Amino acid sequence: MYRPRVIPCLLLRGFGLVKTRKFKDPVYVGDPVNAVRIFSEKEADELMLLDIDASKEGRAPNFELIEEIAGECLMPIGYGGGITEFDQVRRLIRSGVEKVVINSAAALGNMDVITKAAGAFGSQAVVGGVDIRKTLLKGYRVMAKSASEETGLKLENHLKALVAAGAGEILLNNIDTDGTMAGFDLSLVRRAAAAVDVPVVACGGAGSIEHLSQAVREGGATAVSAGSLFVFHGKHRAVLINYNPDELAGI
Amino acid sequence: MIAIIDYDIGNLAAVANMLRRVGHDSVITADSDEIAAADRIILPGNGHFNTCMRNIRASGLIPLIEERVLGGGVPLLGICVGAQMLGHGSEEGDEPGLGWFDMNVRRFPRIEGLRVPHMGWNEVAMPEPEHPLVAGLEDDTRFYFVHSYHLDPGQGVTTLMAANYGIDFAAAVVRDNVCGVQFHPEKSHRFGKQLMSNFAEGSN
């Protein structure tokens, strides 16, 4: 039986892992190598590792750290953050990641890096990352550089452009629900899933297994991703890495 | 020593990493001496079928690999596009395959509600449970798949594992000392460990 993927989304800041709320207020949650080792032991379906400062600071990926992290992964891992050039993609894939997530570069007009990466490594290796904020007057809008820069791009137009450029998958992140654990914005997920025919991974807002299930069954997401759900425990948000594939298999 | 054929097609470190986890040294190589000396060969493959076939042909390694595997009986494991390459060709492109197997590679049919590529974890059935390559793999075995095209084996090729994604398809095929798996054992937790260990230690 085919199982929708449930993907822990880990945020890298410097050499540590953090969790944000609405892309702000990062709280330290642990050492990335150790955390990834635990997720691998718990048999997580796949991982997403996003460096939330790289693009904002105009910095390249931390290749050495990514290579060390990827070495712990007995499941697929995608990396995003600071990727602007094809040579970086090649180096990341050589370092042991299966997928690269290209977000800010594409949102700010550089689709070429997606096309080149897909041409060399296949579209399955290229994830189009999209950070969305809902605005009162203009609806869902694409933001860049960890929500610090507006792009003026519309949701559907940008998703279609990413796929046309060669992205084989979409990582849809919702700034407004990030870290809230209050559930996905299902209308956003539905619109994204309807806009493209490649897999759409919904991220932002998951606080329970029921939420994950809703994103797949009601939102039409192909896979789901979550941060807080897998790194926090209890109402006081104590840091505790948790992931149970048997509980998640039925979503 | 296990040789992982390096022809510039993606994440080979993961294959070496998984072999190390199950206690086997390997070398990622395009060197003909190293390949000639290897007692097992892994042929990975990622991305477009045409790119993989053109790259492997350009490497000049095919005659040596054929001599070792088809002539010398060295076990070979093809992974993902590396498995697809064992056949006549693929509907993805116009490059001919290696032609070792009577096998074609077909696009998944369009089925409402199922996105292509088939990406993620899927359980497999094992029609040949006695085969040494599937030893120790229980009923709950699942592997990580990423593919838009699937194996369609013909005469003389045994389906070792099968899966369903809208249609039933061959997830692993074997003939004598040559095996191909559509999924990624190097990224499939304990199930992948078991399969890689079976390949590295098996008598086939």
Side-chain angles (χ1 to χ4, degrees), chain B residues 156-176:
Chain B
V157 182
T158 302
T159 297
L160 195 56
M161 297 185 213
N164 181 282
Y165 189 69
I167 57 164
D168 292 342
F169 67 92
V173 292
V174 66
R175 196 193 68 198
D176 304 323

Side-chain angles (χ1 to χ4, degrees), chain A residues 2-224:
Chain A
Y2 175 74
R3 308 152 62 115
R5 286 168 291 150
V6 180
I7 306 170
C9 183
L10 305 177
L11 306 180
L12 194 60
R13 193 166 193 234
F15 289 86
L17 286 187
V18 296
K19 183 63 202 105
T20 50
R21 277 198 212 213
K22 304 190 178 189
F23 280 40
K24 292 186 293 206
D25 308 324
V27 173
Y28 179 78
V29 296
D31 170 68
V33 179
N34 188 45
V36 167
R37 187 181 300 137
I38 296 171
F39 278 116
S40 189
E41 283 165 4
K42 291 183 179 295
E43 301 188 346
D45 288 346
E46 184 170 333
L47 287 183
M48 282 291 176
L49 179 71
L50 306 177
D51 185 327
I52 60 172
D53 286 341
S55 284
K56 210 159 54 177
E57 295 171 356
R59 175 169 58 69
N62 183 344
F63 295 104
E64 289 78 17
L65 180 61
I66 295 160
E67 183 165 4
E68 193 183 351
I69 291 170
E72 295 294 335
C73 271
L74 298 189
M75 67 291 206
I77 181 168
Y79 168 83
I83 303 170
T84 55
E85 298 165 14
F86 173 67
D87 281 346
Q88 296 172 331
V89 174
R90 177 183 292 273
R91 192 162 167 201
L92 286 164
I93 300 267
R94 281 257 157 194
S95 300
V97 307
E98 276 68 36
K99 302 179 182 183
V100 293
V101 184
I102 297 175
N103 185 328
S104 295
L108 297 172
N110 179 5
M111 289 288 180
D112 190 49
V113 64
I114 290 184
T115 305
K116 281 186 178 152
F121 301 111
S123 60
Q124 86 292 335
V126 186
V127 182
V130 184
D131 296 336
I132 299 296
R133 170 173 284 157
K134 192 174 186 179
T135 61
L136 213 50
L137 296 178
K138 294 176 179 169
Y140 295 118
R141 284 302 166 110
V142 178
M143 302 291 289
K145 300 190 174 180
S146 292
S148 67
E149 205 168 312
E150 295 204 22
T151 67
L153 296 166
K154 291 182 184 169
L155 171 69
E156 279 91 348
N157 293 350
H158 185 51
L159 293 177
K160 287 181 202 295
L162 288 168
V163 173
E169 187 172 20
I170 297 293
L171 175 63
L172 177 75
N173 214 328
N174 184 341
I175 297 161
D176 303 317
T177 54
D178 170 56
T180 62
M181 302 183 78
F184 290 88
D185 176 347
L186 293 175
S187 77
L188 170 63
V189 177
R190 268 192 290 270
R191 278 181 52 177
V196 292
D197 56 10
V198 300
V200 172
V201 184
C203 186
S208 67
I209 293 174
E210 179 59 26
H211 289 155
L212 302 176
S213 184
Q214 284 169 353
V216 172
R217 290 168 196 271
E218 297 170 37
T222 323
V224 282

